[in-house]
Amino acid sequence: MAITVGVIGTGAIGADHARRITQTLTGAEVIALTDVNLEQAETVKNTLKLNATVYADGHELIANSGVDAVLVTSWGATHEEYVLAAIKAGKYVFCEKPLATTAQGCQNIVDAEMAAGKRLVQVGFMRPYDSGYKMLKQAIDSGEIGTPLMIHAAHRNQSVGKNYNTPMAIHDTLIHELDVFRWLLDDEYVSTQVVFPRKTTFAHDQLADPQIVLLETKKGVRIDVEVFVNCQYGYDIQCAVVGEQGIANLPEPQAITMRKNAQLGNALLTDWKDRFIDSYDVELQDFFDGISANKLTGPSSWNGLAAAIASDACVTAQQSGQIEKINLPERPELYR
Amino acid sequence: MAITVGVIGTGAIGADHARRITQTLTGAEVIALTDVNLEQAETVKNTLKLNATVYADGHELIANSGVDAVLVTSWGATHEEYVLAAIKAGKYVFCEKPLATTAQGCQNIVDAEMAAGKRLVQVGFMRPYDSGYKMLKQAIDSGEIGTPLMIHAAHRNQSVGKNYNTPMAIHDTLIHELDVFRWLLDDEYVSTQVVFPRKTTFAHDQLADPQIVLLETKKGVRIDVEVFVNCQYGYDIQCAVVGEQGIANLPEPQAITMRKNAQLGNALLTDWKDRFIDSYDVELQDFFDGISANKLTGPSSWNGLAAAIASDACVTAQQSGQIEKINLPERPELYR
Amino acid sequence: MAITVGVIGTGAIGADHARRITQTLTGAEVIALTDVNLEQAETVKNTLKLNATVYADGHELIANSGVDAVLVTSWGATHEEYVLAAIKAGKYVFCEKPLATTAQGCQNIVDAEMAAGKRLVQVGFMRPYDSGYKMLKQAIDSGEIGTPLMIHAAHRNQSVGKNYNTPMAIHDTLIHELDVFRWLLDDEYVSTQVVFPRKTTFAHDQLADPQIVLLETKKGVRIDVEVFVNCQYGYDIQCAVVGEQGIANLPEPQAITMRKNAQLGNALLTDWKDRFIDSYDVELQDFFDGISANKLTGPSSWNGLAAAIASDACVTAQQSGQIEKINLPERPELYR
Amino acid sequence: MAITVGVIGTGAIGADHARRITQTLTGAEVIALTDVNLEQAETVKNTLKLNATVYADGHELIANSGVDAVLVTSWGATHEEYVLAAIKAGKYVFCEKPLATTAQGCQNIVDAEMAAGKRLVQVGFMRPYDSGYKMLKQAIDSGEIGTPLMIHAAHRNQSVGKNYNTPMAIHDTLIHELDVFRWLLDDEYVSTQVVFPRKTTFAHDQLADPQIVLLETKKGVRIDVEVFVNCQYGYDIQCAVVGEQGIANLPEPQAITMRKNAQLGNALLTDWKDRFIDSYDVELQDFFDGISANKLTGPSSWNGLAAAIASDACVTAQQSGQIEKINLPERPELYR
Ligand SMILES: [Mg+2]
Ligand SMILES: [Mg+2]
Ligand SMILES: [Mg+2]
Ligand SMILES: [Mg+2]
């Protein structure tokens, strides 16, 4: 019996997830769709030859008793509302980033889920599903490098558009690191500081680029992350974990080493979509496998809340130039 | 409508393919099983909770009208017989290596398939489905390194058992290279020579190890392959293609670079199963996708024949110490 | 005509420089020696078969009219006094780190040298003579990576003795980075901050280890340096310069890449002496070549002063936990 | 007392060695020069400000009693004559490649040296003085990779001039490998075979390029060397030694790893002069140190003979297409 899925929001990412479910993953089937642009929902339905109904809006879709699980891939500002509705309906829900646009919104979801008494929500943080990060996590957990003391990381994009401003370096870019470090280290943040190096001439007026974010965790791990979204040379994710007895590095993406034109080297990625493409398949399959096992284990609404609180503190730190506290509430039993 | 699959031979590889079809791939379902040991077929059926029938033998299984496609994963000596039966029944058949134990056997299959007038057979050569080899193929075909002139390659195993003898270095080990180079270069072999370096003290009496196989192609490409099956240090597949303007190397498997114990480096694989694990999924999915499209494009019975003829010549060269011709018949239209 | 050299202090480094001058370098000859332990000076004289006089102390040695140039390799606390005496005598002087034990001492030397009206002093900062740093400097100056915006660096030792305490991480270890970044960037520091990650269990009571030092330059470059002197795994110097258009990394020391024991990798150095061994030859040869050309171009007493002022600020920052200003006086014409 | 040196042949390499002796090395001084073009000898004398006499020819130079040691850097065809004269005069002589243009010429030199009863000749094979090859030799000798079984090597030039023909790939290019493998393995060749891959379109008519030379040693080691002198992409020397328990690779030249323009990599050398530049200093210093110790240990006239015999066999193999024997006489006691 395939899990029946309703997709709320059939833009780029929603359409892609629908394709994924239909053509690549096992055990799930898209039977319901909706979008603010209903024509687009129809187009996705037809393109993928889905045996699916197009609903007038997300609430109708969620209300339909034939829908087992919901994918929220609509505009970010609507996420909270649909996730809450799905929880209320007792349905599993996969929500793309951000879980909600405010920490309070995330808290509302956490509260609702706790009231429901079981995990129903998975957030679309895909890095824990990336084969490289999984190897890195395993290297840490194996004890091979000893207790982690520091992380040196970088998140670099070739360039960004004119609408991308300074806080977005946190909310849209660093957010992935904020989630993945907690997972790698099994730890929580306690403070953050942001420093601004000399600004690249390739950045627009509204954007201080690059930035260096300095995080401190409960266990005392110090993390520095360079966020550089106009680095020109490629899309590049770096993560080195320094332990008491050694250092482990996130693997580079697979590439052909070539000797050519007086150079020895390999091509770097330039498009972020190529970097984690495989992990989207794995994260969504894991969501469906979790439903089948009646136990979700992927990124939870608690992860969404923790990332939101840390993000907010980082943006405050951008503005204050000071070290800012990150106050995460006690983690409830449900999320341990 | 899922493609209904019958599996002939439920040993290690057959059971693994059955699991793959059931749990990982899309569009196919195992509904029939058989094995020389019927109890084992029952065990696989139960372990995977298959809604499947266990047949007395492969011919009964093939004869069943509910079976759309056949997997031949039985003992090598039985492959030819079952593949021919499947062709006769007009059914798609995926056959593990070897397609047949003799070149004549492969020719019989090619003849039968040509008589059938369409491709029905895919051989279990998985390397063209490996992400690294695909990148290498793409690098060659893009023209980035110019016309290929040479390949330097190595196939190394940590160690082999006492039953592994000198000809097996060709039939069981080099066979993968013999297939994959033809595909990489879009070329055919014309001669082979085998030289025996100083023998490692880690090899048994019946085995000359290492060996270097020198191949020449129609287009004049020269290939040297080191086959070293007791190399002690790991399972290691190397392939460097030297073109007129540059060199492209098969990527190393993904690994964590670590600094530890006065060493900078990464772990190597030691088990061949880990090296191409992902490509087994891809090859079999491609088989089913080919069936759905009514057009197989993976390794054909012609590939099986070409590898068999080249293998036989290499074994002759092992024994003669001479350069031996490799005579492949003209490739029929069906396989172009 | 060889330059005649007097060596003040014939301990490990002094004896090694005497050997270097005698056996490896060209154009100079050791003709005078002294040490607090005169027997040791005699031993060096005899071991190297020098045609040299052993003097009662450094001042007598400097006063001898036959001595063209002086090497100060005595105990750190005596450096200032001997360098000042050499300047007063109008003689070229090469002084090992530190130039003086206080910033004021360095300033006294700068003042004396300026009064002399010409550069007479070279300080023993050897990294600008390292082939790897020279390549890195060239990569920056070529413009290949665009304007430098950030440096990510690390200075790691396998372990340190019980007498090594927290400020020594600056004065004895970071001092090399403090000098070399100024040279790489052609820039001056304006502020520093030190953060302390979780302490490694391998560090003694008197030492906070690791530390991260954050430097800011006049041009706005932000530098983070991990100083980790009980890292266990080796002696490791890392330096990545992030520019507007690319990143350049300090090369790893030359090493044999090996495949062995299921590992692909190379040995790391464990002793700091091996890392910059060649650059000691080059720095000292450059000193003598400078004398021959009557124009010293190596690390100057101004460099010594700049490093001392920055070091003091870093130690203050260790204690205050605050961002501390680094106030370097205007650079005099003589040192531009 | 500096060793007094006479240089026969002041073309590019002779002038460079004269500069080296004068400006870089210790313990030797050029006091005599000659060249077929006497003006050029004068120019070198003046450029380097040598206190030297220009002689009418090499024999006069050798005869001068003030000359301790001779450098033969004249046209190859004259090497034998001058080396024999130097031996006759009882003088140490450093001779650039080739020691003689024929194996018989080398044998004549060996015979003369044996008659003299001591080693007087060093041949200009510089690779054993390269820091990378020294590390490789040490890795082999340490036993870390076990008994060597195979070498995979390559000698690639970006391009060659129109006068470079097929046998020169042996005499001028492979000659370096022929010497260095003997030294690495402490072994002698017994056979050779040459195969010609598809010819690159970048090679001229008189040149079959690339070539693969297959060597066999007494101990059974098998060596394959790709010689590719129009590889377009750079000057590249590769050498991987496969032992019973591991593989050791010749290090790549030191280089800056850069991330730029969607590429991760480093520059390759394009000019052979840059690859072994340092080893020229070391080889010549070793020659003078050997003279001082009255015991030469560098590449001997026996090495010159062995390389000549192997070269001749390789050229025969180029022409015959067969496996050709390499017959080296028993090595005399003097050269063990
Ligand atoms: Mg996602
Ligand atoms: Mg297979
Ligand atoms: Mg020094
Ligand atoms: Mg030479």
Side-chain angles (χ1 to χ4, degrees), chain A residues 147 149-150 152 156 193 196-198 200-202 210 214 219-220 222 226 231-233 243-245 247, chain C residues 147 149-150 152 156 193 197-198 200-202 210 214 219-220 222 226 228 231-233 243-245 247:
Chain A
T147 305
L149 306 175
M150 291 168 279
H152 305 305
R156 302 188 188 111
Q193 181 186 359
F196 295 99
R198 180 175 187 157
T200 176
T201 54
F202 293 99
L214 305 164
K219 294 176 186 165
R222 290 284 184 162
E226 175 197 326
C231 80
Q232 306 301 307
Y233 75 80
E244 285 194 337
Q245 296 183 280
I247 301 179
Chain C
T147 305
L149 305 177
M150 293 168 278
H152 305 304
R156 303 189 187 109
Q193 180 186 359
R198 179 173 186 158
T200 175
T201 54
F202 293 99
L214 304 164
K219 294 177 186 165
R222 290 285 184 161
E226 176 197 324
F228 189 7
C231 80
Q232 307 300 307
Y233 75 79
E244 285 195 338
Q245 297 182 279
I247 301 179

Side-chain angles (χ1 to χ4, degrees), chain A residues 112-276:
Chain A
E113 200 178 27
M114 287 181 62
K118 69 178 285 198
R119 280 200 53 194
L120 292 167
V121 181
Q122 180 171 330
V123 184
F125 288 127
M126 71 291 186
R127 289 201 189 173
Y129 295 100
D130 172 66
S131 58
Y133 272 110
K134 283 195 278 190
M135 293 178 106
L136 184 56
K137 171 76 168 157
Q138 192 173 13
I140 296 168
D141 291 352
S142 71
E144 287 176 90
I145 58 167
T147 305
L149 306 175
M150 291 168 279
I151 290 180
H152 305 305
H155 187 143
R156 302 188 188 111
N157 288 65
Q158 211 165 16
S159 62
V160 291
K162 293 207 168 178
N163 293 328
Y164 188 106
N165 59 25
T166 299
M168 289 171 73
I170 306 299
H171 285 308
D172 287 21
T173 301
L174 187 74
I175 188 83
H176 290 282
E177 272 76 18
L178 289 174
D179 181 66
V180 84
F181 296 151
R182 292 179 63 249
W183 171 76
L184 280 176
L185 298 172
D186 196 17
D187 202 352
E188 298 292 354
Y189 307 117
V190 297
S191 80
T192 181
Q193 181 186 359
V194 181
V195 298
F196 295 99
R198 180 175 187 157
K199 181 176 164 176
T200 176
T201 54
F202 293 99
H204 303 300
D205 280 356
Q206 301 308 311
L207 175 62
D209 186 41
Q211 309 178 21
I212 299 173
V213 181
L214 305 164
L215 297 159
E216 181 187 5
T217 75
K218 265 192 189 165
K219 294 176 186 165
V221 176
R222 290 284 184 162
I223 301 166
D224 50 272
V225 195
E226 175 197 326
V227 180
F228 189 5
V229 295
N230 289 286
C231 80
Q232 306 301 307
Y233 75 80
Y235 181 73
D236 194 7
I237 302 299
Q238 296 290 323
C239 186
V241 182
V242 183
E244 285 194 337
Q245 296 183 280
I247 301 179
N249 289 276
L250 183 68
E252 298 282 334
Q254 189 180 40
I256 293 285
T257 299
M258 217 175 269
R259 290 168 189 269
K260 218 203 143 188
N261 291 338
Q263 291 284 327
L264 166 59
N266 61 265
L268 290 172
L269 298 178
T270 51
D271 190 336
W272 61 268
K273 289 185 211 88
D274 298 329
R275 176 62 182 84
F276 294 105

